[in-house]
Amino acid sequence: DAEITQSPRHKITETGRQVTLACHQTWNHNNMFWYRQDLGHGLRLIHYSYGVHDTNKGEVSDGYSVSRSNTEDLPLTLESAASSQTSVYFCASSRDRVAEAFFGQGTRLTVV
Amino acid sequence: DQQVKQNSPSLSVQEGRISILNCDYTNSMFDYFLWYKKYPAEGPTFLISISSIKDKNEDGRFTVFLNKSAKHLSLHIVPSQPGDSAVYFCGENRDDKIIFGKGTRLHILP
């Protein structure tokens, strides 16, 4: 079955370290997204991509970057982790504008 | 400025009764609104959507109503069941990306 997977599921890192969260989907979807979920803020869009080599900033992109070298993967990199980036991160993908997005199980990141 | 607003952080409803979750939006141009449901420690899952050209969409126990003049949409769940206890996110799909509200936590009481 096609799916979207995130790794790791849990990570603890130190302030200032570079961290990369992986997202892999097997639906061959063009659109991929990264969100973070925080209490009182809901789901906020970090970065998104409409296809290979396309990346766009979302609502809260500062301190984050993404790259899209193939259809299946959209890794999210925290250049220099900060305590404010402690959150649960969700990756999602969708086929096109009329289709709903499918979410991964999430990665809980703690920056100490 | 928040584009999609869910002004009720939580809602408690008796099992068997109707649950009504509300969402307000600011932009007039959009393609779709979607509702997602989220259980703890899981990713959000798609529930139901409505396009900008419709006023209502129904799927089993779930109905979404769109009032374009008031820039308001609502999700009705009838009858409410214990498994409906979750956080519900309203999302605006515009330009192929979804912007979500802050969510409403629904508690179904026995």
Side-chain angles (χ1 to χ4, degrees):
Chain A
D1 286 345
E3 60 181 4
I4 181 166
T5 55
Q6 295 183 232
S7 61
R9 292 295 310 276
H10 302 271
K11 184 166 182 69
I12 300 174
T13 191
E14 294 178 343
T15 301
R17 296 243 185 198
Q18 184 182 79
V19 177
T20 297
L21 309 182
C23 176
H24 179 81
Q25 53 99 1
T26 58
W27 281 299
N28 203 35
H29 286 166
N30 285 326
N31 304 333
M32 294 185 73
F33 312 88
W34 274 103
Y35 292 88
R36 59 179 288 178
Q37 184 191 10
D38 304 287
L39 196 63
H41 292 281
L43 289 163
R44 292 182 291 177
L45 182 63
I46 305 172
H47 279 287
Y48 57 102
S49 168
Y50 291 148
V52 177
H53 303 310
D54 176 75
T55 61
N56 305 279
K57 294 181 179 181
E59 303 168 280
V60 289
S61 60
D62 287 349
Y64 303 94
S65 64
V66 293
S67 61
R68 189 88 181 270
S69 59
N70 57 54
T71 301
E72 296 80 16
D73 299 288
L74 186 71
L76 176 71
T77 297
L78 286 69
E79 304 295 342
S80 177
S83 57
S84 60
Q85 294 176 309
T86 292
S87 185
V88 181
Y89 291 85
F90 290 99
C91 178
S93 71
S94 69
R95 187 185 74 239
D96 54 41
R97 66 172 54 216
V98 301
E100 71 270 19
F102 295 89
F103 281 79
Q105 293 287 79
T107 295
R108 181 174 293 277
L109 177 68
T110 303
V111 182
V112 298
Chain B
D1 188 28
Q2 196 177 10
Q3 296 176 321
V4 179
K5 295 182 181 180
Q6 294 179 259
N7 293 318
S8 299
S10 67
L11 175 69
S12 295
V13 175
Q14 207 77 32
E15 181 179 353
R17 299 288 186 109
I18 182 172
S19 294
I20 301 176
L21 296 100
N22 296 302
C23 181
D24 296 306
Y25 61 94
T26 55
N27 292 309
S28 298
M29 300 295 294
F30 64 92
D31 297 319
Y32 281 82
F33 275 105
L34 307 96
W35 285 94
Y36 279 76
K37 177 179 180 179
K38 187 184 180 304
Y39 293 121
E42 295 184 10
T45 55
F46 171 74
L47 196 56
I48 191 169
S49 66
I50 187 166
S51 77
S52 59
I53 61 172
K54 292 192 172 183
D55 298 323
K56 175 183 172 181
N57 190 27
E58 197 171 348
D59 184 2
R61 296 187 298 115
F62 304 92
T63 303
V64 57
F65 297 92
L66 177 61
N67 183 334
K68 289 185 276 293
S69 61
K71 295 187 178 180
H72 177 84
L73 71 159
S74 60
L75 173 68
H76 293 214
I77 306 173
V78 183
S80 299
Q81 298 176 353
D84 296 330
S85 291
V87 177
Y88 290 79
F89 291 100
C90 166
E92 175 191 64
N93 187 331
R94 189 156 54 96
D95 299 329
D96 278 354
K97 63 181 185 291
I98 306 173
I99 302 299
F100 288 98
K102 293 183 178 182
T104 297
R105 183 176 296 278
L106 177 64
H107 301 270
I108 303 302
L109 306 171

